Amino acid sequence: KRLATTPQFASLHLATNQKGWGRKKCRNSENFKELVPISECLEGQSSNTPYFILWGDSHADHLLGAVETAIGVRKYSPLPRWFPGCPALVGVVPDENGSPNKSCEQFNKEVIAEITRLNDLGEVKAVLISSRWSMYMGAPSLAGEKGFPLWKDGRRLVGEEAAAAIQSGLQSAIGSMEK
């Protein structure tokens, strides 16, 4: 039987196209001040803790519908934490008009603090990190979309230096959740 004709594939395909990507569920704004409250992120769903947290840029939102469908009957709730153009990194931020994106940096700090707080309460099942990693190396995409250089330690990075910064920023993000 071909994958495209299975009921499981059909439900995931439908979820991705109708529940994620552009739904704006739990979207944090470019002028970040604080995380969207958890109750707003659940959009009326009953809160079954622990949470399955999706953290990243809009590509984390892209996965939300599929994650909701995949965990459907389980006893935990998907909690999206996404910010457009903001990869889930610690100590590394994308460029914003020639400077480090301070809103992205603050957003990621708040997500780490929330994950730590919820984990201390035993309310985190898993964290899925998703971002469009290639976009943050500064090169344009095959479709011609502009890439975002990264900043680390006051230096603007592209190419191989950006790739190394992504690796260290992911390691720092994961390390901060393991504490």
Side-chain angles (χ1 to χ4, degrees):
K1 194 173 193 181
R2 292 187 51 199
L3 178 62
T5 61
T6 65
Q8 294 85 358
F9 179 81
S11 67
L12 287 172
H13 180 72
L14 181 66
T16 299
N17 289 318
Q18 292 183 353
K19 290 185 177 179
W21 195 255
R23 182 168 45 153
K24 310 298 185 237
K25 182 177 184 178
C26 206
R27 179 181 197 252
N28 286 275
S29 69
E30 285 77 12
N31 297 315
F32 180 78
K33 303 225 181 337
E34 62 186 4
L35 291 174
V36 174
I38 291 174
S39 60
E40 289 181 34
C41 295
L42 299 177
E43 284 186 352
Q45 299 176 43
S46 62
S47 174
N48 293 317
T49 56
Y51 298 107
F52 188 110
I53 300 171
L54 287 93
W55 173 25
D57 62 13
S58 60
H59 286 254
D61 175 57
H62 179 74
L63 296 174
L64 181 58
V67 168
E68 285 177 334
T69 298
I71 67 172
V73 296
R74 291 176 177 78
K75 302 285 186 214
Y76 43 92
S77 298
L79 176 57
R81 290 301 188 201
W82 69 283
F83 187 115
C86 181
L89 301 170
V90 171
V92 181
V93 295
D95 184 85
E96 180 180 53
N97 301 318
S99 299
N101 184 330
K102 297 293 183 187
S103 289
C104 175
E105 181 178 32
Q106 187 60 35
F107 168 77
N108 283 332
K109 286 179 181 179
E110 293 291 325
V111 171
I112 289 289
E114 180 179 69
I115 289 170
T116 300
R117 181 180 58 79
L118 292 172
N119 195 47
D120 288 346
L121 297 171
E123 296 181 355
V124 175
K125 175 68 175 175
V127 177
L128 174 63
I129 294 176
S130 177
S131 294
R132 186 175 171 190
W133 305 112
S134 61
M135 182 172 70
Y136 300 106
M137 295 190 347
S141 71
L142 293 175
E145 298 169 309
K146 180 185 94 166
F148 294 99
L150 292 174
W151 286 85
K152 180 179 180 181
D153 299 327
R155 292 187 50 234
R156 190 172 185 266
L157 310 172
V158 294
E160 289 183 22
E161 285 185 314
I166 290 170
Q167 181 179 358
S168 71
L170 272 171
Q171 288 171 336
S172 295
I174 292 165
S176 67
M177 289 184 282
E178 292 176 336
K179 293 178 183 174

